[in-house]
Amino acid sequence: MNDGPGRLGAFLQARRSRLRPDDIGLKTYGERRRVPGLRREELALLAGVSASYYTRLEQGQSHNASPEILDALARALGLDESERRHVHDLAASGARGHKGLRRPPEEHLSDATRHLLDALTDVPAVVLGRRTDVLGWNALGHALFAAHLPAEGPDHAAGRPNMATLVFLDPDTRALYADWETKARTVVANLREVAGRHPDDARLASLIGELTMRSAEFGAMWADHQVRPCDATPHTMDHPLIGAVTLTQQARGGRPPPTRRGGAPAPAGGGRAGGGGRGCGRPARAPGPGCGGSPR
């Protein structure tokens, strides 16, 4: 029984709809097109697969696409490396079948990460889980990113601040970012990437559902199916105490193993940085509030 296009089909359809014939040099000779973007048969031709097979894949009727076919579709759609990996994650999830959501164990800081966080006394540092829950911060990190929240918030699992929620639903956090929309899109694109790797995470699904219901802006950005790792993303903040400051929040490490991450801000005027960025955590996906890895 077919239950719709599924995650892979929805992603392919969304990206196909944004690819115009002119983008690939396809002549249309002024013909009227009933749908935006490329037709299924046009994308199939670009990828070197049959139109009927691609249609089954997009409609969720086929779950056995080979890595070579997925790579060919990624090339035809002009996807970057992170988006290509996302396609493979979605295909793997579809091949396994949906077994229901599961409630993963609580995330927590390892002793080594906690000691590192305590040792960073002269730079702001924040530790995020993969769902962007704040697992820890030092005094400067708290002061820079969330001074209006209780400093002890990350110590209590049930009430931890969540950076994605703060970016979309908290006016104080929203006001920190000079270009809020770019920051927000980065947050959503990172959550998309994480959801592709963890499709059965009940907590992540709950977070996405809550944000979709409570923020029309999140819902619209989520529907764009953008996927973007946050491995080196500068953001300009307009802090109420220190003024304009640009942070280059950089993640270090690869997808699988835990690693530490951090960044260093510079004043917007280009002078010497007076503080640090934020970091310490797991994968190279979480450079800045709103992007998260999974500390152990």
Side-chain angles (χ1 to χ4, degrees):
M1 179 177 176
N2 179 29
D3 59 354
R7 294 170 184 258
L8 177 60
F11 179 81
L12 292 174
Q13 184 178 24
R15 301 312 291 265
R16 175 173 62 82
S17 70
R18 291 208 296 270
L19 195 60
R20 301 289 184 263
D22 289 346
D23 296 336
I24 59 171
L26 181 66
K27 301 296 184 181
T28 60
Y29 302 102
E31 64 179 300
R32 294 187 62 184
R33 302 174 69 87
R34 293 180 297 173
V35 296
L38 294 183
R39 295 166 176 155
R40 289 190 182 116
E41 58 267 27
E42 292 168 342
L43 180 59
L45 181 64
L46 282 175
V49 300
S50 71
S52 60
Y53 175 77
Y54 176 77
T55 298
R56 293 196 304 272
L57 191 64
E58 190 176 285
Q59 292 180 343
Q61 298 172 355
S62 178
H63 302 286
N64 60 350
S66 69
E68 292 77 17
I69 287 178
L70 296 175
D71 284 342
L73 289 171
R75 287 192 296 271
L77 289 168
L79 305 184
D80 63 22
E81 178 59 21
S82 60
E83 292 166 331
R84 185 194 69 81
R85 289 199 306 260
H86 184 65
V87 166
H88 282 262
D89 288 338
L90 296 179
S93 173
R96 291 193 301 268
H98 183 65
K99 300 179 180 179
L101 297 175
R102 60 180 180 83
R103 196 171 184 83
E106 292 284 354
E107 293 179 295
H108 63 276
L109 297 185
S110 67
D111 290 341
T113 302
R114 188 176 297 279
H115 292 326
L116 175 62
L117 190 61
D118 292 340
L120 295 173
T121 59
D122 58 348
V123 295
V126 177
V127 184
L128 301 183
R130 76 178 180 218
R131 293 173 291 273
T132 76
D133 293 323
V134 179
L135 305 184
W137 49 29
N138 64 5
L140 289 179
H142 171 246
L144 183 62
F145 292 112
H148 61 294
L149 300 179
E152 65 275 11
D155 298 336
H156 309 288
R160 282 173 176 155
N162 177 275
M163 280 297 181
T165 301
L166 291 175
V167 166
F168 279 93
L169 302 181
D170 181 73
D172 292 302
T173 302
R174 182 172 183 141
L176 283 176
Y177 292 96
D179 186 354
W180 176 86
E181 182 175 350
T182 296
K183 175 61 182 178
R185 289 190 179 278
T186 299
V187 170
V188 175
N190 179 73
L191 285 178
R192 265 284 177 201
E193 191 274 343
V194 175
R197 290 187 289 119
H198 302 280
D200 303 326
D201 188 327
R203 295 178 186 272
L204 179 60
S206 178
L207 171 66
I208 293 167
E210 178 189 8
L211 290 174
T212 301
M213 292 184 64
R214 297 180 62 188
S215 170
E217 292 162 311
F218 179 91
M221 293 179 188
W222 185 255
D224 278 346
H225 287 266
Q226 291 287 352
V227 179
R228 187 183 312 132
C230 318
D231 47 6
T233 308
H235 292 289
T236 299
M237 301 179 72
D238 186 12
H239 197 276
L241 296 180
I242 61 176
V245 58
T246 298
L247 286 83
T248 299
Q249 301 160 346
Q250 184 173 4
R252 300 186 179 92
R255 278 161 69 104
T259 185
R260 300 183 181 89
R261 63 191 185 282
R272 181 181 177 84
R278 39 93 43 216
C280 319
R282 184 187 152 197
R285 306 268 171 253
C291 307
S294 286
R296 302 174 78 178

